[in-house]
Amino acid sequence: MGVKERKERQKVEMKDLILQSAHQLFLDRGFEEVSIRNIAEAIEYSPATIYLYFKDKDEIFYALHGEAFKIFNAYVSPIVAIKNPLERLFAMGEKYMQFAFTYPKYYDIMFIIESPMRCDENSDEWKEGGAALGFLESIVEECKTLGHFKNQSPHTLSFTIWSFMHGMCSLSLRERMKHYPENEREEIKLKAFEVFKHMLTNL
């Protein structure tokens, strides 16, 4: 390996180290409570090193957020092979749950940690998140063309679906199901999803 290649690899490794450390700090303390200095201390480098890779804390968050959604979009992509749009919609819900419980740290950065308020000013950095929402709305639109969800706004219905799935996943991930017997929690989530599917089918 030449000097140039070695330096490029070191840059990639350092950037990954910064992102991994920042991600954990955001989870532990919350975005607003974490500073560039905190991140630098975590990786045992100076704050100046962080600024060689990211202009500010927001940019670090955008990078983490975009990467998490990129992984999510790849995770749900196999459902495009399902021809029936209503079945595809339900499969997306199943994939959403599986992703949340398989990759809880990614789910946190996507949907639970409070994001920087200036995200709309950096829309290009959030294109993966937009793609995920667009994918859901396109399936809802396709369902409507086949006669499902009459008189329902695709935007409103997509938000309703997202809200239900997010609420159920968040309650579970945040240990809000402890009042249910532990051996029944999984069955409760699955049955709740079946009830929601039935409600959607009859809209």
Side-chain angles (χ1 to χ4, degrees):
M1 182 183 294
V3 174
K4 182 178 180 180
E5 289 79 7
R6 187 180 297 108
K7 287 183 177 180
E8 286 300 318
R9 187 181 69 178
Q10 290 172 344
K11 287 181 180 179
V12 171
E13 290 174 348
M14 176 58 72
K15 189 171 184 178
D16 286 344
L17 178 62
I18 293 169
L19 289 174
Q20 291 171 16
S21 298
H23 193 168
Q24 191 59 53
L25 286 170
F26 291 158
L27 292 177
D28 292 343
R29 305 184 190 179
F31 177 80
E32 294 298 335
E33 299 303 317
V34 176
S35 66
I36 290 293
R37 181 171 295 279
N38 295 148
I39 299 170
E41 290 172 350
I43 64 173
E44 298 182 343
Y45 279 85
S46 70
T49 300
I50 308 294
Y51 289 116
L52 293 175
Y53 297 87
F54 300 97
K55 66 180 182 181
D56 54 27
K57 189 174 64 169
D58 286 1
E59 191 171 65
I60 294 174
F61 187 92
Y62 299 143
L64 289 169
H65 184 271
E67 183 62 22
F69 264 103
K70 185 176 181 180
I71 294 168
F72 172 79
N73 288 336
Y75 191 85
V76 302
S77 64
I79 71 170
V80 298
I82 301 173
K83 292 184 179 180
N84 185 301
L86 190 61
E87 292 179 3
R88 197 183 319 134
L89 181 64
F90 296 155
M92 187 176 188
E94 292 171 357
K95 282 285 190 179
Y96 186 101
M97 284 192 294
Q98 291 168 7
F99 180 87
F101 301 135
T102 303
Y103 303 104
K105 288 187 177 181
Y106 287 136
Y107 192 83
D108 272 350
I109 206 79
M110 291 161 66
F111 296 126
I112 295 180
I113 296 176
E114 184 176 359
S115 65
M117 296 302 292
R118 295 183 296 280
C119 63
D120 288 344
E121 299 174 11
N122 296 271
S123 57
D124 289 344
E125 300 293 338
W126 294 72
K127 58 185 178 181
E128 293 289 347
L133 179 58
F135 186 39
L136 170 60
E137 292 187 342
S138 70
I139 298 174
V140 171
E141 287 273 17
E142 196 173 341
C143 287
K144 282 181 65 68
T145 64
L146 294 182
H148 300 289
F149 312 145
K150 294 178 181 178
N151 303 317
Q152 299 291 328
S153 160
H155 291 309
T156 301
L157 186 55
S158 295
F159 181 74
T160 301
I161 293 168
W162 178 17
S163 297
F164 174 84
M165 298 306 303
H166 173 67
M168 185 166 62
C169 292
S170 299
L171 286 170
S172 181
L173 289 171
R174 285 292 173 267
E175 302 290 342
R176 296 301 192 273
M177 294 186 69
K178 287 187 175 180
H179 53 288
Y180 298 109
E182 186 173 359
N183 63 341
E184 296 180 13
R185 293 171 195 168
E186 190 64 27
E187 183 180 5
I188 288 170
K189 286 183 288 186
L190 293 176
K191 286 186 175 180
F193 183 57
E194 289 300 318
V195 170
F196 188 58
K197 285 167 57 177
H198 180 74
M199 293 168 60
L200 288 175
T201 302
N202 289 282
L203 278 179

